Amino acid sequence: MRSVDDFVACAEYLVHEGLTTPAKLAVWGESAGGILVGGLMNRRPELVGAAVARVGLMNLTRALENTALGPGTTEEYGDPTTPEGRRRLADLDVYESLKKGAKLPPLLL
């Protein structure tokens, strides 16, 4: 997902330019911003010292399958009833992308 790539790139830039260190860098996201926070944590956990997901959407596949959120968002995120849609959702689903044993930064949900 391009927005997660951009979020990671912003964090990398801040560290590379010496504006902060990973230990001092915290990220925050609300609602769909949970996809950004979780995506960064899954891809580059060493890049941040802490993360906050306030009412974060982190298990997108389940949310679209089991809540009223689904019908209005399938075009943007993917339709869980189609193979292509499930693939797109899997790319965004923070919970389903967790790697067993991964060392993640502290997270406040």
Side-chain angles (χ1 to χ4, degrees):
M1 173 179 206
R2 182 62 193 203
S3 58
V4 175
D5 295 339
D6 290 345
F7 197 51
V8 170
C10 289
E12 289 173 335
Y13 175 84
L14 293 171
V15 171
H16 181 266
E17 293 298 312
L19 299 170
T20 191
T21 65
K24 293 179 181 178
L25 182 59
V27 292
W28 174 293
E30 296 185 23
S31 190
I35 297 170
L36 294 176
V37 168
L40 183 142
M41 285 182 19
N42 279 344
R43 292 180 189 184
R44 297 289 309 279
E46 78 288 352
L47 195 54
V48 296
V52 177
R54 185 171 180 269
V55 195
L57 184 56
M58 301 191 105
N59 191 203
L60 188 56
T61 304
R62 185 168 185 209
L64 293 183
E65 289 175 336
N66 298 304
T67 68
L69 176 67
T73 60
T74 56
E75 185 175 327
E76 181 177 358
Y77 296 125
D79 184 343
T81 65
T82 68
E84 172 62 20
R86 288 196 73 74
R87 185 197 63 71
R88 286 179 55 204
L89 285 170
D91 289 344
L92 297 172
D93 196 305
V94 176
Y95 179 80
E96 297 295 334
S97 300
L98 286 172
K99 295 172 182 76
K100 186 174 183 169
K103 185 173 177 356
L104 300 175
L107 171 64
L108 176 63
L109 295 172

